[in-house]
Amino acid sequence: MTRTTTRRATTRAAVLTACAAMVVIGIQSGSATAGSDGSADATAIVLAPSERAAALKSAQSAAGSEAKALGLDDREKLVVRDVVKDADGTVHTRYERTFDGLPVLGGDLVVHKEKNGNHSVTKATNARITVTSTSAKVPASAAKKAALKVSAAHETSKVVAEDARKVVWAATGKPVLAWETVVTGVQQDGTPSEMRVVTDAATGAELFSYETVHTGTGTGDYNGTVPLTTTANGSTFDLKDGMRGGHRTFDLNQGTSGTGTLFNDADDVWGGGRQDAGVDAHYGAAVTWDYYKNVHGRNGIRNDGVAAYSRVHYGDNYVNAFWSDSCFCMTYGDGSGNSKPLTALDIAAHEMTHGVTSNTAGLVYRGESGGLNEATSDIFAAAAEFHAGNSSDPGDYLVGEKIDIRGTGAPLRYMDKPSKDGNSADYWSSSLGRIDVHYSSGPANHFFYLLSEGSGAKTINGVSYNSPTYDGKAVSGIGIAKAEQVWYKALTAYMTSTTDYQGARTATLSAATDLYGAGSAEYQAVDAAWAAVNVKAGTSGKGGKGARSGS
């Protein structure tokens, strides 16, 4: 049995089910309402879990012939990761690659097949995948020790290194034989660490390393009275959402492992004390699920109809929140003094979007791709806020605006002018990939704001914005409803693990072409918004990965 309840007072399930739907499709105010959603012909269709499983199986059975059609080496194999079908019959199949049975990191690609037989491909790398030998000169044990040193340099504690696995590293130039080692531990602020370290199998030198636990900040108890979907458990009720893939919300009781205790209530009237954080986390997960389902046709984070789960009251004085692929879960700390749970709506949507990115483009969390990864979470957090229509937390282009982490009332980040936070970049530059990914996200956030709302001074939902452009030229927006469709299409169909800013420009222009037509007003707006943040044709720090080509 599944019930929908309010936080403070019990209401009939039918009434609140209608209210829950209204949270998702509620009318937005301000210029963000301008424009309709993307063209029905090019948007993805919703596949039932059984249909998606059948599509994956069919694509895998055809992977051998697809590899030949792409002209891959006989030693290369394609492994299907995702299949997206558009209403117009176009199919986007995302593959990982192997070489002589070894995973190829940075070798992912997406094949686009139109109904009329036209065929194109988007690749993470254009390099030919080959290595002279798959025999490592450096043993796995040495790679493991090297990975532990890399982790120690980041001041990670309680480290444990898994056995290294042999891979082909193709993400940063000429493919080389390498070892990949996952080192787990605890970061300085108490966040779990899952660092991936890639070392050269011939020399032992570090080739690349990046953190896979993505963090953010927020404060709970901001959502007011909200609809919840719960499940009867005998004469009591659990925070388990049977309408959204079985999402569950747990109380960790200040622990840092496991799931803790599933929230339970005697009368289905939730709120007060430790329940507040659970209510806000449960609501945030529902809003995020509904946003992706109703706006983009995505059936859960993995698009398989299965929900992640949420954990609140993590650790002691933990001032953060994080998404982890390994547990497929969202976790919230209680903040300073264990008095401010980090469960704001935009934080929930931001962190869960890291899961969506991981299961689509897989943008590597370092350099320009890492900045785009962070920006994607900020973009869809803003979009989810607008679509929720919650008067206690209306939609805006501010990130973490309710947490007051600095004690000044200022948000963490600003999408209209990112540099207002004192760290983020407004525009692309060749040095962008060398700064923290939370700050290199600035130009993409700025692009999305400009694409949605345009440049200059304006007020939306009571918030004042004044967005500049790199060259001083005015930019007109197309509305957030169209802008979010462009970014989602680009993320799921055209971006890859190595996409940089130039690649993001190419991907969004391809998405705009699919949705609205080549040369359309929307296509021109995408082009103008990128130019306004200094990303133009041929501008790239890494050669414009993620480009689309015929095959």
Side-chain angles (χ1 to χ4, degrees), residues 103-128:
V104 179
L105 306 184
D108 49 303
L109 55 89
V110 187
V111 174
H112 318 280
K113 288 187 177 179
E114 299 176 29
K115 191 174 182 179
N116 62 9
N118 288 344
H119 193 172
S120 60
V121 61
T122 304
K123 297 179 179 180
T125 179
N126 288 320
R128 178 171 172 263

Side-chain angles (χ1 to χ4, degrees), residues 46-404:
V46 180
L47 297 177
S50 59
E51 293 174 320
R52 182 172 182 272
L56 291 171
K57 183 178 180 180
S58 176
Q60 189 60 61
S61 67
S65 58
E66 188 63 63
K68 289 182 180 179
L70 292 173
L72 302 187
D73 188 291
D74 289 341
R75 291 169 291 179
E76 293 182 73
K77 304 296 181 185
L78 292 176
V79 180
V80 177
R81 181 174 167 187
D82 197 13
V83 176
V84 176
K85 295 186 176 182
D86 293 345
D88 65 1
T90 301
V91 178
H92 309 272
T93 306
R94 188 177 294 274
Y95 296 96
E96 301 288 351
R97 273 193 272 187
T98 65
F99 180 86
D100 268 355
L102 301 178
V104 179
L105 306 184
D108 49 303
L109 55 89
V110 187
V111 174
H112 318 280
K113 288 187 177 179
E114 299 176 29
K115 191 174 182 179
N116 62 9
N118 288 344
H119 193 172
S120 60
V121 61
T122 304
K123 297 179 179 180
T125 179
N126 288 320
R128 178 171 172 263
I129 305 300
T130 184
V131 292
T132 55
S133 172
T134 56
S135 296
K137 294 181 180 179
V138 173
S141 57
K144 187 173 180 178
K145 289 180 180 178
L148 286 168
K149 289 182 180 179
V150 172
S151 180
H154 288 268
E155 299 185 30
T156 305
S157 61
K158 301 179 181 179
V159 294
V160 176
E162 298 178 3
D163 290 338
R165 69 166 182 165
K166 195 184 295 183
V167 299
V168 174
W169 175 250
T172 54
K174 182 180 178 181
V176 297
L177 187 69
W179 291 105
E180 182 193 40
T181 310
V182 177
V183 183
T184 59
V186 180
Q187 299 178 49
Q188 286 179 291
D189 67 350
T191 304
S193 174
E194 294 173 14
M195 180 172 288
R196 293 183 179 271
V197 182
V198 181
T199 51
D200 193 312
T203 67
E206 178 190 350
L207 296 173
F208 202 79
S209 62
Y210 61 100
E211 181 61 63
T212 61
V213 176
H214 307 312
T215 57
T217 51
T219 295
D221 204 17
Y222 289 125
N223 297 316
T225 300
V226 294
L228 298 175
T229 302
T230 63
T231 300
N233 181 1
S235 61
T236 63
F237 301 87
D238 292 335
L239 273 187
K240 179 180 179 181
D241 191 338
M243 293 175 61
R244 299 175 180 86
H247 175 269
R248 295 166 295 163
T249 303
F250 296 90
D251 183 351
L252 274 175
N253 297 295
Q254 271 52 67
T256 57
S257 62
T259 57
T261 306
L262 182 64
F263 275 98
N264 176 270
D265 187 79
D267 60 3
D268 217 14
V269 181
W270 299 83
R274 298 183 69 82
Q275 281 191 0
D276 282 353
V279 167
D280 285 349
H282 204 66
Y283 168 73
V287 167
T288 304
W289 177 285
D290 289 348
Y291 168 74
Y292 279 108
K293 182 73 176 286
N294 295 347
V295 177
H296 301 297
R298 187 172 190 84
N299 194 16
I301 286 174
R302 285 191 301 238
N303 204 22
D304 61 358
V306 178
Y309 62 91
S310 297
R311 307 184 300 177
V312 300
H313 301 305
Y314 173 90
D316 184 27
N317 293 298
Y318 179 63
V319 191
N320 221 324
F322 61 89
W323 168 266
S324 172
D325 285 329
S326 63
C327 70
F328 196 61
C329 70
M330 178 65 205
T331 304
Y332 303 86
D334 280 338
S336 180
N338 292 326
S339 61
K340 295 181 179 180
L342 285 80
T343 48
L345 175 57
D346 62 345
I347 302 305
H350 173 107
E351 296 302 338
M352 291 178 193
T353 294
H354 280 307
V356 173
T357 298
S358 178
N359 285 278
T360 54
L363 292 160
V364 173
Y365 204 62
R366 177 174 163 179
E368 289 192 18
S369 60
L372 292 168
N373 189 317
E374 268 299 309
T376 296
S377 284
D378 285 349
I379 285 166
F380 289 125
E385 270 192 349
F386 274 110
H387 281 83
N390 186 332
S391 60
S392 295
D393 191 4
D396 54 55
Y397 295 95
L398 308 174
V399 181
E401 70 277 2
K402 288 185 171 289
I403 63 175
D404 193 22

Side-chain angles (χ1 to χ4, degrees), residues 31-36 397 448 451-453 477-484:
S31 60
T33 59
S36 62
Y397 295 95
F448 185 79
L451 182 62
S452 299
E453 307 294 346
I478 61 174
I480 193 172
K482 288 185 176 181
E484 67 191 356

